[in-house]
């Protein structure tokens, strides 16, 4: 599995914004689609909420292949 650490400078980042910021998707529409299709897990649980707040220490995994760790 490919893992990337994504450093944020705010209290949290929304899931859809994390995917865009990390370069995992090109547009917000792409982020919305893969989240709604259930292709993203947050901290080991499927997540269908685009606005899910992720804080340092949280992990998002896309299609079981790409892990984004918020730092």
């Amino acid at each position: 599995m490919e893992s990337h650490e994504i450093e944020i400078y705010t209290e949290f980042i929304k899931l859809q914004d994390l995917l865009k910021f990390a370069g995992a998707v090109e547009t917000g529409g792409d982020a919305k689609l893969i989240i709604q299709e259930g292709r993203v897990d947050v901290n080991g649980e499927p997540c269908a909420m685009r606005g899910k707040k992720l804080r340092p220490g949280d992990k998002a995994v896309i299609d079981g292949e790409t892990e984004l760790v918020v730092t």
Side-chain angles (χ1 to χ4, degrees):
M1 180 183 308
E2 187 178 340
S3 183
H4 303 279
E5 289 190 4
I6 308 301
E7 188 172 359
I8 62 171
Y9 300 97
T10 57
E11 180 183 349
F12 64 86
I13 186 169
K14 292 182 182 179
L15 179 57
Q16 67 179 6
D17 296 333
L18 174 68
L19 299 182
K20 289 189 299 185
F21 183 68
V25 296
E26 290 188 19
T27 67
D30 291 341
K32 177 182 177 181
L33 184 65
I34 69 167
I35 293 167
Q36 288 181 338
E37 289 176 346
R39 295 169 49 191
V40 180
D41 291 350
V42 173
N43 296 327
E45 299 291 326
C47 183
M49 297 184 300
R50 293 182 321 194
K52 173 79 173 165
K53 295 177 181 177
L54 286 92
R55 292 175 168 78
D58 288 337
K59 297 177 184 178
V61 178
I62 306 163
D63 293 331
E65 298 174 3
T66 304
E67 178 182 63
L68 303 174
V69 180
V70 180
T71 59

